[in-house]
Amino acid sequence: MQNEDLNSKLNKRERYKARLRPYDYFSEFESLDFENLGEGDRFFLQDFGIFTTDFLEDEFTMRIRVPAGRLSAQEFSYIADVVDEYDLTIIITARGGLQLHELECDNVLEIWKKLNTNGLTTWQSFGDNIRNIVTNVYDGRGKYCEIETYPIIMQMQDYIVKNPRYVGMLPRRVSIGVSGNRASVTSFFANDLYFALALKDGVYGFNVYMGGKNTEIAKDADIFLLKEEVFDFFKAFVEAFYLHGSRFSRSKTRLFYMIENIGLKTLKQHIEKEYGKTFESAGKIQLEKVVFSQHEQLRDGTYAYCYQTDFARLDAKEMKQISKLSLEKNLDIRLGIDQNIYLLGLPDKTTPFPSPAQSATIITCAGSLCPYSFWSIKNETKYLPLEKISEHSISVGFSGCIKGCGRHRHTDIGLVGLKTNNFGNTDGGARVFVGAVHTDGLSISRMLFSMVPLVHLHKTLDLIIELYELSGYKNFEEFSDAILNKFSEEFLALWLLANLTTNKAIKLEPTDSGFEYEKNLLKETFSEVDFIESIEEKFAPSVSALAKKLWTVAGADPVYKPKLNRVNFR
């Protein structure tokens, strides 16, 4: 009776797993009718790298695991051939993998077989699995690298992929980052499990951080591991999460919520039991802020070239071009979690071919290629001040929904594209976030505006960057820590709106803190501004009123045709 009660509380996906393990489902894989898939089929197919939904049942997505972002030129070229043959769309994911779109029910199985029998794997790239394991693009070759992590990552991948106990059987997905570098192109604190370079008693190893996700920062677990111990810890972690993670409410099954529920101390005890020995306390994390250039010198004196993709989009022609050059010059191809391609081993600061976009520091979600995205995020980058973003190496995360696949809470400026009818005859808008101190994992960004119409986004971001330029700080993250994070979100929003109203850009210099200080600063600086609503007790009503006055669209947005009437969206 007790088991029946527990089973009734399992979330829907867990009830499917209880009836049939995903690994055992694989025996039915080749006999599937992809034109008539059931709900259970759609769940199970994710464990083999195939995604489809009931409301877009004729469209399929396939994801290829690329451990540590490393691909041979031959593998890259072969994938390009598949893309070309079937006229597919391909993007680099925010986990440094590759994703194929626009597969159809009559070719999805054929494509799956081609990829999985030619040295590649799509297994466990979706679903409740250990997802693609990531590291720094300069792993093993960069001048900031102290420990090469690729051998560790391959141990992890070989252990987990096609392991009957774990294929699709974890309570929820787990993202893992391992970096042996003192400086990284992007932050890894959004991972569920992060092994960060650390130093203890003069020996390099890794500190462990747990519980991160796209909208939260992983917490310091106070554990230090030598590089030889990481794989055993990984196995112990996977088993502990498998045994003790929640399988009830689907929205509360990530590791973050497990820590919230039982505490980090209890989670460590579960892992320690599987690990078989007592953990050492953490060492000193080794992280420094570095702005990387398009041509980066490597340890051996050769150079890396960052090929900036078209906001993660690729085509077969450029993939073959990159593969050909890599074969001719004996270059390493690496996919970054910044969605760019790095070519390592060039003899000098050569630009083999120009990049198609200014996207080096911009991470975007799949946009219109994902059924959950509200907008074609990759196209909406036209609303960003790309030249200024590039000039100052400002990191931008642009997500198409609040799931946050663009990691908008872990970048200098974060954006979430949503629909709005708050400002008249337009339906494109973005939430705006700033203030993340992401290099050291100290804080996620804070929301400034719940919605800025896309037609006003460029000017708004331009102003934010101009205030950064006036501050004199050497990078945006320092500006956030020293200036933006000293003020409340509502004050910052009102300060920006007042500047926009008066066509000014007035430097922010905090000399005090608290509501009264912020209120007086606004009154003294913008005495000519009508804040519409009173700011005597709170700022929020004035933020809303001033935004509507400033951003209500009287005419038509030329980008969106035909004209849209004011309607209620879901």
Side-chain angles (χ1 to χ4, degrees), residues 80-253:
D81 288 338
V82 172
V83 170
D84 204 13
E85 180 181 354
Y86 294 94
D87 194 23
L88 305 177
T89 296
I90 183 169
I91 63 169
I92 300 176
T93 73
R95 295 202 61 75
L98 290 169
Q99 199 158 282
L100 306 177
H101 292 268
E102 297 170 358
L103 292 82
E104 299 171 352
C105 53
D106 59 352
N107 64 23
V108 60
L109 182 58
E110 185 177 322
I111 293 170
W112 188 92
K113 286 180 178 180
K114 284 194 172 190
L115 294 174
N116 284 275
T117 55
N118 280 276
L120 301 162
T121 185
T122 64
W123 279 68
Q124 292 147 273
S125 52
F126 289 108
D128 296 337
N129 294 289
I130 303 292
R131 299 292 183 86
N132 195 45
I133 304 170
V134 301
T135 188
N136 192 288
V137 289
Y138 298 120
D139 178 55
R141 298 196 62 176
K143 57 191 174 185
Y144 300 101
C145 183
E146 300 294 343
I147 300 174
E148 184 174 11
T149 63
Y150 184 66
I152 301 170
I153 289 172
M154 290 311 298
Q155 274 186 300
M156 293 176 175
Q157 165 133 329
D158 291 344
Y159 177 73
I160 202 73
V161 169
K162 300 184 183 180
N163 186 328
R165 183 169 179 80
Y166 299 126
V167 173
M169 288 300 293
L170 295 179
R172 197 66 187 270
R173 76 168 192 244
V174 175
S175 58
I176 297 177
V178 193
S179 177
N181 283 46
R182 287 181 283 109
S184 294
V185 175
T186 51
S187 171
F188 293 98
F189 284 97
N191 284 282
D192 292 274
L193 178 61
Y194 171 31
F195 299 95
L197 182 71
L199 190 65
K200 185 171 184 179
D201 299 329
V203 178
Y204 282 109
F206 299 90
N207 281 354
V208 178
Y209 293 80
M210 294 191 286
K213 59 192 187 101
N214 286 336
T215 53
E216 299 289 346
I217 282 175
K219 298 174 176 62
D220 185 354
D222 191 25
I223 296 171
F224 177 80
L225 301 169
L226 297 172
K227 66 179 181 180
E228 298 82 9
E229 297 172 324
V230 172
F231 178 55
D232 286 338
F233 179 92
F234 165 77
K235 290 192 293 182
F237 165 83
V238 172
E239 182 65 10
F241 188 51
Y242 171 83
L243 292 173
H244 303 286
S246 173
R247 298 178 183 271
F248 302 128
S249 172
R250 185 76 181 160
S251 64
K252 299 289 184 181
T253 51

Side-chain angles (χ1 to χ4, degrees), residues 498-552:
N499 273 283
L500 289 168
T501 299
T502 56
N503 290 312
K504 294 178 180 178
I506 299 178
K507 184 178 179 180
L508 267 172
E509 294 180 289
T511 57
D512 204 342
S513 61
F515 179 79
E516 289 299 318
Y517 165 69
E518 293 179 347
K519 178 178 70 176
N520 291 331
L521 187 58
L522 284 167
K523 286 182 172 181
E524 291 166 8
T525 309
F526 297 103
S527 57
E528 74 276 31
V529 172
D530 177 9
F531 290 105
I532 305 174
E533 298 287 343
S534 171
I535 61 170
E536 291 301 319
E537 296 182 0
K538 54 186 176 180
F539 299 142
S542 183
V543 170
S544 178
L546 204 54
K548 285 199 173 187
K549 178 182 178 183
L550 195 63
W551 291 333
T552 293

Side-chain angles (χ1 to χ4, degrees), residues 13-21 128 168-170:
R13 189 169 297 208
E14 291 298 330
R15 292 199 295 272
Y16 276 108
K17 295 181 197 177
R19 292 195 290 269
L20 180 67
R21 290 190 314 167
D128 296 337
M169 288 300 293
L170 295 179

Side-chain angles (χ1 to χ4, degrees), residues 243-361:
L243 292 173
H244 303 286
S246 173
R247 298 178 183 271
F248 302 128
S249 172
R250 185 76 181 160
S251 64
K252 299 289 184 181
T253 51
R254 287 290 295 272
L255 184 69
F256 172 84
Y257 297 107
M258 183 180 181
I259 293 170
E260 203 173 56
N261 184 35
I262 67 173
L264 197 54
K265 181 180 178 181
T266 303
L267 174 59
K268 285 172 61 177
Q269 289 171 348
H270 289 322
I271 300 170
E272 200 169 54
K273 180 181 177 183
E274 304 301 328
Y275 187 62
K277 54 184 179 181
T278 304
F279 294 136
E280 282 192 35
S281 59
K284 182 174 175 54
I285 192 168
Q286 304 293 295
L287 279 177
E288 53 188 276
K289 177 79 174 182
V290 172
V291 177
F292 291 86
S293 63
Q294 192 172 21
H295 298 91
E296 195 71 26
Q297 189 169 29
L298 305 175
R299 275 194 318 207
D300 62 2
T302 62
Y303 287 84
Y305 170 62
C306 172
Y307 177 77
Q308 301 172 62
T309 63
D310 183 17
F311 304 101
R313 292 176 290 203
L314 298 172
D315 63 44
K317 182 180 178 181
E318 67 183 320
M319 291 173 71
K320 290 176 182 178
Q321 186 180 26
I322 289 168
S323 301
K324 184 174 183 287
L325 177 73
S326 300
L327 282 171
E328 290 173 353
K329 304 287 186 182
N330 195 28
L331 307 178
D332 285 351
I333 298 174
R334 305 222 178 150
L335 308 183
I337 62 173
D338 59 353
Q339 300 174 317
N340 294 309
I341 299 173
Y342 291 77
L343 302 177
L344 281 62
L346 290 162
D348 50 37
K349 292 184 177 181
T350 300
T351 300
F353 25 75
S355 300
Q358 290 180 305
S359 65
T361 60

Side-chain angles (χ1 to χ4, degrees), residues 305-499:
Y305 170 62
C306 172
Y307 177 77
Q308 301 172 62
T309 63
D310 183 17
F311 304 101
R313 292 176 290 203
L314 298 172
D315 63 44
K317 182 180 178 181
E318 67 183 320
M319 291 173 71
K320 290 176 182 178
Q321 186 180 26
I322 289 168
S323 301
K324 184 174 183 287
L325 177 73
S326 300
L327 282 171
E328 290 173 353
K329 304 287 186 182
N330 195 28
L331 307 178
D332 285 351
I333 298 174
R334 305 222 178 150
L335 308 183
I337 62 173
D338 59 353
Q339 300 174 317
N340 294 309
I341 299 173
Y342 291 77
L343 302 177
L344 281 62
L346 290 162
D348 50 37
K349 292 184 177 181
T350 300
T351 300
F353 25 75
S355 300
Q358 290 180 305
S359 65
T361 60
I362 300 173
I363 301 167
T364 61
C365 73
S368 59
L369 297 172
C370 172
Y372 303 111
S373 175
F374 284 99
W375 290 106
S376 179
I377 295 304
K378 298 180 189 305
N379 291 332
E380 310 310 348
T381 53
K382 67 169 72 73
Y383 289 103
L384 307 184
L386 294 175
E387 289 190 9
K388 277 198 170 185
I389 289 168
S390 177
E391 177 189 347
H392 297 296
S393 297
I394 296 170
S395 63
V396 177
F398 203 163
S399 302
C401 73
I402 58 173
K403 289 177 182 288
C405 295
R407 295 200 298 274
H408 60 273
R409 304 296 298 273
H410 294 267
T411 51
D412 294 329
I413 296 174
L415 305 168
V416 179
L418 297 171
K419 292 180 178 179
T420 181
N421 61 1
N422 287 343
F423 300 100
N425 195 23
T426 184
D427 62 346
R431 288 182 181 171
V432 178
F433 297 78
V434 296
V437 184
H438 46 82
T439 296
D440 299 320
L442 297 182
S443 66
I444 54 175
S445 60
R446 301 179 297 160
M447 185 173 72
L448 282 193
F449 296 110
S450 60
M451 189 63 63
V452 177
L454 286 178
V455 288
H456 295 286
L457 188 59
H458 191 291
K459 189 173 182 180
T460 304
L461 297 184
D462 235 355
L463 173 60
I464 292 171
I465 295 172
E466 190 171 354
L467 295 182
Y468 156 63
E469 292 170 334
L470 290 170
S471 75
Y473 283 92
K474 64 181 181 181
N475 60 67
F476 196 93
E477 193 173 356
E478 286 188 4
F479 167 63
S480 292
D481 195 28
I483 304 294
L484 297 181
N485 292 348
K486 298 297 187 287
F487 294 100
S488 68
E489 297 96 314
E490 291 83 3
F491 167 83
L492 288 173
L494 207 47
W495 184 269
L496 290 168
L497 289 168
N499 273 283

